[in-house]
Amino acid sequence: MAGAGAPCLPCTSYTRHFSFPPAAPMDSFCADDGERIHLKISGSGTPLVLLHGWTSTHRDWNPFLEDFEAHHQVLRWDARGHGGHPLRTASAPTVARMARDLQNLLDHHGLEQAVVVGHSMGALTLWQYLRDFGSGRLSRVVVIDQSPKLLTDDDWKSGIYGDFDHRRNARFMHELESDFAEAVLRLAAFGHNERARAKYLENGSGIETARQRLRALDPRPLIDCWASLSAADYREVLQTIPVPALLVYGGASNFYSTGTAEYVRDSIPNALLHIYDGVDHAPHLWERGRFIRDVLDFVAPG
């Protein structure tokens, strides 16, 4: 779950709250279609690029900054169409467009040998980037709780819930059009994680905070983004990833079984899998100290 109770594909740790300072002005760069992409840059050292999930923002990564900044230059964006920034261009925030934005970010700041961490939608963006641009600018990658194909079919049961097919996705997209915030909350609640379902049904302060934040967003670009994410299939990309990959999955993920995590591990030639038992789609937030150690150990020289 995003630290302020905000879902991302969607995240669901509604009881995880962090006190964030008032928002400071963000840096930005201009993508090659003229869109302004907002980001925060802090720390020094080798570049560490952090990609958040659907409906979330750069603030998801605030709990990790002190530890990561001690070793890395940390770059956190608000992905196109996210973070409450109105779009300036007609380009929808498709996963292909966000992958190109990532390439534009690397170009703008002259980054090489970057480590890229992707949670949920961020992992899909990373896989699309690897498909479109290769791994030449990257040294290592970190994937947090994601399937290479969200929708299931007769031959693929490792997507959302294990049984979220095109028909269910069509219904979900109709619900997004009708009541965006509630549809997002329900997607998180009615999956594998019984605690998430109970929290939603209790309708406590955490759920209401998430609901109000989601209601403040412009749903149109986020619905367009979901259509792109749910149409993607990166299974063949996994087999071509040449750089080391750290995989962090929730043992009680709302969306995916441990079989999904094992499929991703077995498909990437040089992958290390950590399953954080008992936690949901945001294992890095539930087990913050462990995640920090795992990432810093994974990216450390030698």
Side-chain angles (χ1 to χ4, degrees):
M1 172 65 171
C8 59
L9 183 56
C11 299
T12 55
S13 308
Y14 298 117
T15 58
R16 298 289 283 178
H17 295 289
F18 299 92
S19 297
F20 294 150
M26 296 188 74
D27 191 6
S28 62
F29 67 94
C30 195
D32 59 15
D33 67 342
E35 188 64 61
R36 182 69 60 184
I37 308 298
H38 299 263
L39 76 157
K40 295 257 189 191
I41 304 174
S42 55
S44 61
T46 56
L48 181 67
V49 181
L50 307 177
L51 307 178
H52 64 72
W54 185 57
T55 79
S56 267
T57 78
H58 72 283
R59 290 162 69 87
D60 279 14
W61 304 107
N62 283 7
F64 309 96
L65 288 183
E66 181 177 356
D67 294 277
F68 285 166
E69 288 169 348
H71 304 275
H72 298 279
Q73 180 190 43
V74 182
L75 300 97
R76 304 169 290 145
W77 72 7
D78 284 342
R80 177 185 298 247
H82 291 71
H85 308 291
L87 292 174
R88 297 168 33 151
T89 68
S91 300
T94 65
V95 66
R97 180 60 255 187
M98 291 186 291
R100 190 166 188 85
D101 292 342
L102 177 56
Q103 178 73 351
N104 291 166
L105 184 156
L106 298 178
D107 287 341
H108 182 81
H109 290 284
L111 302 182
E112 302 290 344
Q113 294 298 294
V115 178
V116 179
V117 181
H119 175 219
S120 195
M121 179 186 80
L124 299 176
T125 303
L126 173 56
W127 288 331
Q128 180 76 39
Y129 175 87
L130 289 165
R131 170 186 282 166
D132 293 345
F133 299 100
S135 62
R137 308 282 290 272
L138 311 184
S139 63
R140 294 172 185 266
V141 297
V142 180
V143 168
I144 306 173
D145 208 66
Q146 188 53 288
S147 169
K149 184 176 185 292
L150 302 190
L151 301 191
T152 61
D153 55 39
D154 289 343
D155 300 317
W156 175 251
K157 302 301 182 184
S158 292
I160 296 172
Y161 303 164
D163 62 354
F164 194 86
D165 60 13
H166 285 276
R167 185 172 299 178
R168 290 191 69 175
N169 190 52
R171 289 199 300 269
F172 173 62
M173 293 193 67
H174 178 75
E175 292 167 1
L176 289 173
E177 298 280 359
S178 176
D179 188 338
F180 179 82
E182 212 61 34
V184 172
L185 293 176
R186 288 175 63 85
L187 181 70
F190 292 100
H192 296 314
N193 190 289
E194 293 182 3
R195 184 181 183 193
R197 184 180 307 112
K199 288 293 182 182
Y200 175 79
L201 294 174
E202 289 169 6
N203 199 31
S205 61
I207 292 290
E208 184 57 25
T209 297
R211 181 180 290 116
Q212 293 306 317
R213 194 197 70 85
L214 287 164
R215 286 178 175 169
L217 302 176
D218 178 2
R220 184 72 264 155
L222 297 170
I223 294 171
D224 292 341
C225 182
W226 178 265
S228 170
L229 300 175
S230 59
D233 182 350
Y234 299 108
R235 288 176 291 181
E236 82 287 355
V237 174
L238 303 184
Q239 303 167 23
T240 68
I241 297 175
V243 297
L246 172 65
L247 314 175
V248 176
Y249 282 72
S253 173
N254 316 63
F255 307 109
Y256 309 118
S257 68
T258 56
T260 302
E262 291 163 353
Y263 174 90
V264 175
R265 177 199 62 198
D266 294 343
S267 298
I268 298 176
N270 186 7
L272 172 65
L273 171 62
H274 292 308
I275 294 177
Y276 292 6
D277 292 335
V279 298
D280 64 17
H281 181 57
H284 56 313
L285 287 171
W286 284 107
E287 297 282 354
R288 181 168 62 95
R290 179 181 177 184
F291 178 75
I292 289 168
R293 290 191 299 272
D294 285 345
V295 170
L296 292 180
D297 287 348
F298 176 68
V299 303

